[in-house]
Every structure is written in structure tokens, then in C-alpha cells.
Amino acid sequence: MPRPVTEPPAPEPDPAARNAGQDRTGRADRRLGVRLLVAVGAGAAAAVPFGLLLVLVEGAWPPLLRLDAGAARRLHEVALEHPGWTATLRFLSDWLWDPATLRIAVALLIGWLLYRRAWRLAAWAATTAIGGALIGVLVKVVVERARPSLQDPVAQAPGYSFPSGHAMTATTSCAVLLLVLLPLVPPRWRRLCWAAAGISVLGVGFTRIALGVHWFSDVIGGWLLGGAVVVLTGWAFEAWRSDAGRPRTEVSQGLEPELTDEEPEPPVHGTGAGRRDR
């Protein structure tokens, strides 16, 4: 009888190549941490449109003051004339789009990413959300702009006015949720996700002006500053992908298309490799 054909044993992986890959991942991880910190700092200092707006606000530029006052007055009149509409705006602003609600959603997302062992993506999401919140508070304290003072106010808010914390949190939170979860969404539904994120960010800004707790320029400032943080931390994450030898991605694919894989990221340098080599 003929002997059964047996497949030759699989070749052992080259230890030198494996070590070289681990070293490359380790260097990429260290650079990612530094770049995320630099990106957050740059988001506060190098957002040119936001910086220009800040100069105009601090200098009390008359055209900007007239725009702010006119928008506040007209929307306040509408709010007083339509109490049902105003109640809807308060629900959206105080519950659905409240910063606490959005931050809880991001925190749950980060917990899920850690469960999936997407360590670097979780670090990006946490840095973007926390860094954006801290920058917003810092700018508020530095600028010390008073909130609108209207007769018969329909809503109240504590603290300073510029930039809008609601608008900034909506920008960073919606960007984090969108850019992380896009790989899990079928391509035909992704435009709907982009539309939902855009409506949420614009809607938050509108509610804050219509309720009379922020000036128009406060909301624009929150959008610009939040967008700058997202762009810069996103650049840091994309640079890590390049350092780690991963292909460039389009923003329509999300930050990490590999999130759908069983192991979306290489093991953290010095932790996962040793367990598999035993």
C-alpha cells in the first residue's frame, strides 16, 4: 500500500524577524504617547481660526459684538414666544446632548476598546476626550467672558462663556464615537452616521444660543477648538500606524479599520509576546 502523504512541518518563525517587529512596535508605541501629548498642547496653541476668534472676542470687536447681540436677542424672543419649543431645546441640551451624557458614552466606548485589546485606539479616544475637556476649561478661565444677560431668561448656566463647553464636548465626543465605530458599520450606512454626528454637533450649538446661555461666537469657538484637538490627535494616531508599518487609512474608514479583526492591534511591547512564546 502506498504510504500516506504527510505535509512537511511548518517552518519556525525567524526569531530575528519577530524581534525586529516587536522592536518596531515598541518604538511606535513610545512615539504615539509623545505625539498624543504634543497634539493636545498644539490643539490649544495652534488652532489658527480659533486664535483669531479669541483675539476678536478679547478685543471686543464691534461687528462681532453686534452679531452676538443680534443673534441672542432674536432667538430669545422666539424662545419666549414658543414655550413648547423651548422645553424641547432644554431637554436636548440638558439630557440627550449634555456633556455628561456624551462623556459617559465615550467612557463606555473606551472600556469596550480595552476589552477588545485595542490599546492604542483607547489611548487616542481618552486623550482626545479628556484633553479637549481640560483645554476648554483652561481657555474659559483665561478669557473670563460673561454669559449673555437677558430679561426673562429661559435657562441658566454656571461659569464663563467662551468657548462653549457643550459645543466643544459635542465635537470631540461625536468625532471619537464616529471615527472609532465606523469600521463596524456597513458602508451603505456610513453616510447616515456622518449625518447624525453633524446634526448633533450643529444642534448642540443651536440649543445653547437659542436658550440664551452662550453667545454665537462662544459656539463657533467651541467647534473650532474641539475640531483642532481631534485633527491633531488623529494625526498622532495616523503617525503611529505609519511607524508600526500599517497602511494609511481614509477618514471614511475610521481610524482603525482592523477593529473588526479578532486581534485589532499588535500586542503591547513587552507584554503579549512573552506569553505566546512559551
Side-chain angles (χ1 to χ4, degrees):
M1 294 180 62
R3 294 181 179 179
V5 178
T6 59
E7 296 183 358
E12 291 292 330
D14 184 2
R18 184 175 64 244
N19 291 336
Q22 293 171 2
D23 289 342
R24 183 175 187 177
T25 300
R27 290 193 299 269
D29 288 347
R30 290 189 291 272
R31 291 171 184 166
L32 174 62
V34 174
R35 283 170 173 153
L36 285 174
L37 293 176
V38 171
V40 169
V48 175
F50 174 80
L52 176 60
L53 180 62
L54 177 58
V55 170
L56 297 179
V57 169
E58 286 283 72
W61 191 46
L64 181 62
L65 295 182
R66 288 195 295 270
L67 175 63
D68 280 340
R73 183 181 64 256
R74 288 191 293 270
L75 288 175
H76 185 59
E77 292 172 354
V78 173
L80 291 175
E81 293 171 0
H82 301 85
W85 171 246
T86 302
T88 301
L89 295 181
R90 293 186 63 176
F91 169 77
L92 292 173
S93 181
D94 295 343
W95 294 97
L96 181 62
W97 290 329
D98 184 72
T101 302
L102 295 174
R103 288 167 185 159
I104 290 173
V106 171
L108 293 174
L109 177 67
I110 293 171
W112 178 76
L113 289 174
L114 293 175
Y115 172 76
R116 292 278 289 113
R117 299 184 181 180
W119 315 112
R120 292 87 173 180
L121 194 58
W124 171 81
T127 302
T128 303
I130 298 173
L134 293 177
I135 290 172
V137 172
L138 176 63
V139 176
K140 281 178 178 286
V141 172
V142 171
V143 177
E144 293 185 344
R145 189 185 197 188
R147 293 181 182 270
S149 178
L150 304 170
Q151 290 184 347
D152 301 322
V154 297
Q156 299 286 345
Y160 296 117
S161 189
F162 183 89
S164 167
H166 276 67
M168 187 170 180
T169 301
T171 302
T172 55
S173 298
C174 288
V176 167
L177 294 169
L178 182 68
L179 294 176
V180 168
L181 296 176
L182 270 180
L184 307 179
V185 179
R188 65 180 180 275
W189 295 105
R190 290 179 182 175
R191 289 188 178 181
L192 182 61
C193 294
W194 281 98
I199 291 172
S200 296
V201 172
L202 294 175
V204 167
F206 176 78
T207 61
R208 302 308 285 169
I209 302 170
L211 291 173
V213 293
H214 275 296
W215 304 107
F216 176 76
S217 54
D218 297 338
V219 170
I220 298 298
W223 287 340
L224 291 174
L225 192 55
V229 171
V230 172
V231 168
L232 290 166
T233 57
W235 161 82
F237 189 83
E238 187 63 33
W240 167 78
R241 289 182 59 87
S242 178
D243 287 346
R246 293 202 157 189
R248 294 184 62 85
T249 60
E250 299 293 334
V251 68
S252 60
Q253 300 175 290
L255 280 184
E256 193 166 65
E258 298 86 356
L259 191 60
T260 56
D261 298 343
E262 184 177 351
E263 294 185 4
E265 293 182 2
V268 176
H269 182 63
T271 59
R275 289 194 299 267
R276 284 199 300 268
D277 289 345
R278 290 194 182 100

